[in-house]
Amino acid sequence: MEIIKGILIGFSLFLIIVGTLAGTFMKNYYVRLHFISVADTVGGATLLITFGIFSSHHFAYLLLAAVVILQGPAITHLLARGAIHDKINVEEDRWHSHKR
């Protein structure tokens, strides 16, 4: 059981770290947002589910995993809609520059 727990935790951390690092090197805002959102949602949920399975506080961790699974895409959607609404030029090499 300890080996399975270690593999699941390692997989979760791998997803979070690689997705976040890959997202920082993308040039388009929406691609960055996608990489980071998927990495955090899947990695975080997998980590919480692993803790829920192998912990004495099953319900709390599984409830937190459900919240992460539901709120991750919702927040990503709101960030993307906000960028569209504010007409942020996301196709620039440096989308975060102050040129408008």
Side-chain angles (χ1 to χ4, degrees), residues 29 33 37 67-68 70-82:
Y29 174 77
L33 192 62
S37 171
V67 169
V68 167
L70 293 174
Q71 63 88 26
I75 290 174
T76 303
H77 177 75
L78 291 173
L79 288 170
R81 296 267 310 196

Side-chain angles (χ1 to χ4, degrees), residues 17-52:
I17 291 169
V18 170
T20 303
L21 287 176
T24 59
F25 294 111
M26 298 296 144
K27 293 186 184 269
N28 187 327
Y29 174 77
Y30 297 109
V31 175
R32 285 182 183 202
L33 192 62
H34 178 73
F35 266 95
I36 293 170
S37 171
V38 169
D40 287 346
T41 301
V42 175
T46 305
L47 190 64
L48 287 168
I49 290 170
T50 303
F51 290 159

